[in-house]
Amino acid sequence: MVSGRNLSTVLKGKCMSRRALITGITGQDGSYLAEHLLSLGYQVWGLIRGQANPRKSRVSRLVSDLSFVNGDLLDEGSLVTAVDKVQPDEVYNLAAISFVPMSWDQAELTTEVNGMGVLRMLEAIRLVCGLDKSRDGSSGQIRFYQASSSEMFGKVVESPQHETTIFHPRSPYGVAKTYGHFITRNYRESFDMYGVSGILFNHESPRRGTEFVTRKISLGVAQIKLGLQDKLCLGNLDAVRDWGFAGDYVRAMHLMLQQDEPTDYVVGTGCMHSVRDAVQMAFEYVGLDWRDHVVIDPALVRPAEVETLCADPSRARVELGWEPSVGFEQLMHMMVESDLQHASRERDFGDLILASSW
């Protein structure tokens, strides 16, 4: 068995000068994946919709090591141009409308990006591989990773969920992700493309958007602790999820594309926690009782709730050698600590501005 350190050395040796294209590079997963691939010696390109991306700050510290190319999942022509320009060995399709509640308000756009956007990227790869005569058998084909989601399981028929569990999505987001999952499989079977889907369960970090419940909790706890707010409004505290650390999950994405044969994998911890658990852990970390501060807002409850999601990551553990390194309580503490620092800096900056105005 190869140790973790030796495995990293082997992978870095194999990946020197390999080229990866990441859609959604400015998102939580994209930023962690970019860091991971750079550490393995990759040349990393990010697909962005122009230079005014509001979240480009997530990868600002990496900008000198990254390259960017313009492209849009709503515009197949731009994707063909981008793939042809970059000539990647691997494409990671992480770009999506990722906030599930928003998918009911913008169902058509969610479907265009999360569903049809996958098809457009697959077509771009297929066309470029067919037109680019400079590629020969020794260089291999472009390998494609699709970011699938545990939300595809929705109203679960069995628990825990594994690679062959039946899908019953309960949101426009889940439905669109299911299409992206199956069209990736279809292109693998129809055109012999190397395409895999990672069925990732919930994964969080300090880089998570503030609209997501774990980050909403960690930021709210930090601001309450610092006296910047008093109450935290949440929806269904009984919803149960399998939560892990995003930095762990991007390692699994990369490992999937290193296998001899393309196969889909479920990635998760196999442990379930409720939203109430997350709230309790976060408030206890700062020495507060959550019951004094949490308010239930019925407007924040989904129209069709997904109550219980729990992964069976056995295949990823056995075939990829992947294991999560960060437990859920450690993750919540990490997020609260980061938001305490962030909120404290903002408060101090605001006090400085106020003082200077006198």
Side-chain angles (χ1 to χ4, degrees):
M1 179 176 291
V2 181
S3 69
R5 179 176 296 180
N6 290 337
L7 176 61
S8 178
T9 302
V10 170
L11 286 174
K12 187 168 184 177
K14 290 175 62 178
C15 299
M16 289 296 289
S17 79
R18 290 182 67 81
R19 189 172 298 190
L21 173 62
I22 302 173
T23 75
I25 194 169
T26 60
Q28 170 190 250
D29 291 6
S31 65
Y32 279 112
L33 179 60
E35 289 176 351
H36 181 59
L37 295 181
L38 287 170
S39 75
L40 295 176
Y42 274 74
Q43 298 176 37
V44 179
W45 288 71
L47 185 83
I48 57 173
R49 292 184 299 156
Q51 298 301 311
N53 190 307
R55 292 183 172 175
K56 202 170 180 180
S57 59
R58 277 209 183 105
V59 292
S60 59
R61 63 196 174 286
L62 304 175
V63 164
S64 61
D65 297 316
L66 298 174
S67 299
F68 295 96
V69 62
N70 288 330
D72 190 333
L73 290 181
L74 300 179
D75 176 7
E76 184 176 324
S78 73
L79 298 179
V80 173
T81 301
V83 173
D84 192 41
K85 177 179 179 179
V86 176
Q87 292 291 307
D89 298 287
E90 299 169 3
V91 172
Y92 295 85
N93 186 41
L94 310 186
I97 292 176
S98 55
F99 187 48
V100 177
M102 176 182 167
S103 70
W104 276 281
D105 296 328
Q106 299 192 37
E108 183 177 354
L109 178 60
T110 299
T111 301
E112 282 291 335
V113 175
N114 296 7
M116 293 301 294
V118 185
L119 173 62
R120 294 184 188 104
M121 179 56 80
L122 287 166
E123 269 294 280
I125 292 171
R126 187 177 73 86
L127 291 171
V128 170
C129 286
L131 294 173
D132 181 14
K133 305 304 183 184
S134 67
R135 282 187 176 271
D136 55 33
S138 63
S139 63
Q141 60 179 314
I142 296 174
R143 297 190 170 200
F144 175 76
Y145 172 85
Q146 165 58 16
S148 289
S149 168
S150 59
E151 289 284 333
M152 300 186 305
F153 294 120
K155 190 174 183 179
V156 298
V157 298
E158 62 180 336
S159 191
Q161 296 88 52
H162 49 79
E163 287 79 4
T164 57
T165 297
I166 295 171
F167 297 142
H168 186 151
R170 298 266 284 171
S171 65
Y173 170 89
V175 172
K177 280 290 187 178
T178 303
Y179 174 84
H181 179 85
F182 279 122
I183 199 64
T184 299
R185 179 182 297 177
N186 181 261
Y187 268 59
R188 182 168 73 210
E189 296 173 352
S190 299
F191 304 110
D192 199 29
M193 290 179 62
Y194 193 110
V196 305
S197 290
I199 307 174
L200 271 57
F201 280 62
N202 294 63
H203 45 288
E204 318 296 321
S205 77
R207 302 178 193 175
R208 193 53 138 159
T210 56
E211 68 271 25
F212 291 87
V213 66
T214 50
R215 181 74 196 289
K216 185 176 183 180
I217 291 168
S218 65
L219 183 58
V221 167
Q223 292 181 328
I224 289 170
K225 180 63 177 179
L226 294 173
L228 301 175
Q229 70 182 63
D230 182 55
K231 299 296 181 182
L232 174 61
C233 293
L234 296 172
N236 181 11
L237 297 186
D238 295 320
V240 175
R241 295 290 184 272
D242 179 337
W243 273 299
F245 173 50
D248 284 336
Y249 286 42
V250 300
R251 291 189 289 106
M253 297 177 190
H254 174 255
L255 288 169
M256 288 179 208
L257 292 193
Q258 312 315 306
Q259 306 308 299
D260 292 335
E261 297 295 329
T263 305
D264 302 330
Y265 291 92
V266 162
V267 178
T269 69
C271 299
M272 293 190 297
H273 295 280
S274 67
V275 175
R276 182 177 282 101
D277 292 335
V279 169
Q280 184 173 348
M281 290 173 185
F283 275 97
E284 285 182 349
Y285 182 69
V286 297
L288 297 174
D289 187 335
W290 68 272
R291 289 165 294 194
D292 296 333
H293 302 281
V294 173
V295 176
I296 304 303
D297 182 354
L300 297 177
V301 178
R302 296 182 184 183
E305 183 61 89
V306 175
E307 294 289 350
T308 304
L309 290 174
C310 182
D312 176 1
S314 300
R315 177 182 286 180
R317 182 172 60 250
V318 173
E319 297 182 11
L320 302 180
W322 178 85
E323 294 278 359
S325 67
V326 177
F328 184 58
E329 186 170 14
Q330 180 184 356
L331 173 62
M332 288 306 302
H333 292 174
M334 176 199 306
M335 293 175 67
V336 172
E337 186 61 39
S338 174
D339 278 325
L340 278 170
Q341 296 177 18
H342 177 75
S344 180
R345 285 194 299 269
E346 285 199 340
R347 180 192 61 183
D348 294 345
F349 181 73
D351 290 345
L352 180 62
I353 294 296
L354 183 62
S356 65
S357 66
W358 285 88

